[in-house]
């Protein structure tokens, strides 16, 4: 059995660790690229959301590298994510590929379904072994998430633009190579020190912008054309709540006593949206309400045709909380130059607003 799992940001480091610990033969697909997208676009209905296309393209690339077992989210969720696995299985079989699709139930007992899926592909390894491999995988992702939060702070302040991003890329490789908890701890320590040693501009006064929206396009930099790096270059400190380690904590109930950020967001969104609409739409509205006082602006990332985020996008302009929102629709037509121009205009607006010390009236895109 040769197992594969599609890319989403640096999640692959955890998946790689998990399968190595479990002795699973793993085919890592190529990183998401223009090729992934063009393969996907040829074989997807055009109206489907971009995460569907990227994951389908990545599956094609993995199958071409010899994978015969694919892992994908499934289940009966509110948005179409729950149907991805069936649709992709159908599309790939139509293309002549011979493989098995193992579906992760995202709406039922999440922790149990996730562990069962990994157990199944590891030839029914003992539960204890699956659990310990899973914990190690999450630990790797959590270290990278913590480092990325630091990177968000360094980027807008660094004198030589690009240092923080380069250090983070090295950290991803180092975390991947870490063979145990001690080595992982050393990676965290070393790369924290490297980030702390980056020369900063003492006069920097970064704007605070929250990046929110649909999970996949927030976490996969290729799909949002590195929006956080671009914001950093423009002197913006990015704040974001969406991290894989955070999702596993709250969605998989690994932290039942912790403060659930999502519960706070749902409460904040209540006056405008009182129920889950699927995906991350409810949370996006909540972020605008909850963080209107501690942020200068919001960048809202939404995949083209994503129903939950379209609902959020339409509600955001009418909330009484006054904070500029730039909605960026992520699809295969998106271009870097267009994105940069929009970000520059948005950041310029935020700066003038901050300088004026008052709230300007902003038109929502
Ligand atoms: S949340 Fe939106 S983009 Fe994500 S799977 Fe659902 S419909 Fe597609």
């Amino acid at each position: 059995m040769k197992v594969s799992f599609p890319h989403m940001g640096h999640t692959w480091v955890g998946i790689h660790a998990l399968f190595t610990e479990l002795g699973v033969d793993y085919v890592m697909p190529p990183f998401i690229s223009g090729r992934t997208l063009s393969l996907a676009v040829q074989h997807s209905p055009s109206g489907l959301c971009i995460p569907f296309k990227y994951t389908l393209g990545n599956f094609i690339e993995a199958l071409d590298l010899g994978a015969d077992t694919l892992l994908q989210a499934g289940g009966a969720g509110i948005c179409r994510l729950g149907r991805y696995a069936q649709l992709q299985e159908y599309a790939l079989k139509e293309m002549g590929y011979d493989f098995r699709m193992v579906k992760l139930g995202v709406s039922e007992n999440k922790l149990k379904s996730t562990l069962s899926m990994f157990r199944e592909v590891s030839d029914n390894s003992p539960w204890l072994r699956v659990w310990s491999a899973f914990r190690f995988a999450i630990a790797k992702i959590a270290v990278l998430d913590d480092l990325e939060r630091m990177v968000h702070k360094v980027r807008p302040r660094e004198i030589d633009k690009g240092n923080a991003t380069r250090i983070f890329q090295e950290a991803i490789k180092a975390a991947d190579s870490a063979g145990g908890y001690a080595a992982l701890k050393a990676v965290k320590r070393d790369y924290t020190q490297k980030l702390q040693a980056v020369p900063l501009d003492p006069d920097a006064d970064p704007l605070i912008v929250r990046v929110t929206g649909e999970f996949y396009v927030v976490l996969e930099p290729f799909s949002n054309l590195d929006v956080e790096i671009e914001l950093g270059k423009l002197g913006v400190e990015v704040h974001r709540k969406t991290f894989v380690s955070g999702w596993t904590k709250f969605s998989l109930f690994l932290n039942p006593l912790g403060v659930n950020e999502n519960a706070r967001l749902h409460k904040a969104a209540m006056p405008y949206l009182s129920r889950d609409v699927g995906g991350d739409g409810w949370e996006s509205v909540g972020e605008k309400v909850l963080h209107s006082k501690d942020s200068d602006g919001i960048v809202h990332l939404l995949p083209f045709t994503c129903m939950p985020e379209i609902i959020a996008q339409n509600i955001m302009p009418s909330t009484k909380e006054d904070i500029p929102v730039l909605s960026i629709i992520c699809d295969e037509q998106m271009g870097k130059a267009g994105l940069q121009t929009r970000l520059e205009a948005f950041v310029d607006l935020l700066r003038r607003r901050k300088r004026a010390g008052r709230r300007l009236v902003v038109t929502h895109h």
Side-chain angles (χ1 to χ4, degrees):
M1 191 181 345
K2 283 181 176 294
V3 179
S4 193
F5 196 85
H7 278 291
M8 183 179 67
H10 54 250
T11 313
W12 66 271
V13 175
I15 299 293
H16 189 199
L18 180 91
F19 289 151
T20 306
E21 295 287 306
L22 291 176
V24 172
D25 197 356
Y26 168 50
V27 176
M28 189 166 90
F31 292 114
I32 304 282
S33 68
R35 181 176 181 271
T36 316
L37 188 55
S38 86
L39 282 171
V41 167
Q42 286 169 43
H43 301 285
S44 308
S46 60
L48 271 176
C49 44
I50 203 78
F52 177 94
K53 294 177 185 170
Y54 280 122
T55 49
L56 180 72
N58 229 193
F59 278 147
I60 297 172
E61 292 174 306
L63 289 164
D64 288 342
L65 288 174
D68 58 18
T69 305
L70 306 177
L71 308 189
Q72 178 60 293
I78 295 176
C79 83
R80 60 187 102 167
L81 175 67
R83 293 280 170 266
Y84 271 17
Q86 288 95 323
L87 284 173
Q88 290 177 333
E89 185 175 14
Y90 180 76
L92 292 166
K93 293 218 159 134
E94 281 282 292
M95 290 164 65
Y97 288 109
D98 183 20
F99 65 97
R100 188 165 73 97
M101 181 77 94
V102 179
K103 296 164 193 136
L104 160 69
V106 287
S107 44
E108 308 91 49
N109 188 341
K110 293 175 188 170
L111 179 58
K112 187 159 180 282
S113 331
T114 306
L115 295 178
S116 303
M117 177 175 81
F118 294 134
R119 184 166 182 258
E120 186 182 335
V121 296
S122 67
D123 209 9
N124 290 325
S125 290
W127 281 107
L128 197 60
R129 189 167 170 218
V130 176
W131 176 244
S132 113
F134 181 70
R135 292 289 298 209
F136 187 49
I138 297 294
K140 284 201 174 192
I141 293 173
V143 162
L144 290 174
D145 287 352
D146 286 347
L147 290 170
E148 195 171 22
R149 285 189 190 90
M150 281 190 73
V151 169
H152 287 155
K153 291 197 183 306
V154 175
R155 266 192 199 125
R157 296 174 170 89
E158 64 188 354
I159 292 170
D160 297 324
K161 296 293 174 205
N163 268 334
T165 302
R166 184 183 43 75
I167 293 170
F168 187 55
Q169 292 307 324
E170 287 168 13
I172 293 175
K173 286 188 203 138
D176 180 43
S177 306
Y181 282 99
L184 186 59
K185 209 171 154 194
V187 169
K188 183 163 183 187
R189 187 197 55 225
D190 293 350
Y191 284 89
T192 299
Q193 285 169 359
K194 285 187 189 199
L195 285 168
Q196 284 168 342
V198 171
L200 303 181
D201 175 359
D203 298 324
D205 179 23
L207 293 163
I208 307 290
V209 169
R210 293 197 75 82
V211 171
T212 185
E214 194 267 348
F215 199 76
Y216 184 94
V217 291
V218 170
L219 290 176
E220 173 48 58
F222 189 89
S223 73
N224 60 44
L225 302 183
D226 290 315
V227 72
E228 293 184 348
I229 296 179
E230 296 302 326
L231 284 167
K233 283 188 206 157
L234 294 170
V236 168
E237 180 178 323
V238 167
H239 286 198
R240 110 157 98 95
K241 72 133 186 115
T242 303
F243 284 92
V244 169
S245 53
W247 182 84
T248 48
K249 248 190 219 163
F250 297 120
S251 294
L252 302 181
F253 311 112
L254 298 180
N255 183 21
L257 301 177
V259 178
N260 187 334
E261 170 73 0
N262 278 356
R264 289 177 64 221
L265 293 172
H266 297 161
K267 194 164 167 233
M270 273 298 180
Y272 310 105
L273 183 63
S274 57
R275 53 160 289 202
D276 186 8
V277 288
D280 308 280
W282 205 9
E283 292 80 18
S284 294
V285 174
E287 283 216 63
K288 186 190 173 196
V289 176
L290 199 60
H291 296 290
S292 58
K293 298 268 185 300
D294 60 23
S295 312
D296 295 299
I298 291 185
V299 167
H300 177 215
L301 301 176
L302 64 153
F304 181 57
T305 77
C306 168
M307 180 271 288
E309 297 300 338
I310 290 171
I311 293 173
Q313 185 194 18
N314 282 283
I315 290 174
M316 282 185 185
S318 56
T319 71
K320 71 176 168 37
E321 289 74 17
D322 173 28
I323 179 171
V325 179
L326 175 68
S327 290
I328 297 175
I329 297 174
C330 303
D331 69 359
E332 58 264 38
Q333 311 296 338
M334 206 178 167
K336 192 86 166 187
L339 175 74
Q340 283 165 334
T341 308
R342 294 186 69 200
L343 291 178
E344 279 164 18
F346 186 62
V347 168
D348 189 44
L349 165 80
L350 299 185
R351 274 206 198 290
R352 283 189 289 119
R353 192 172 185 264
K354 191 175 176 183
R355 234 180 277 129
R358 63 191 168 87
R359 306 294 190 198
L360 301 178
V361 178
V362 177
T363 342
H364 182 74
H365 299 274

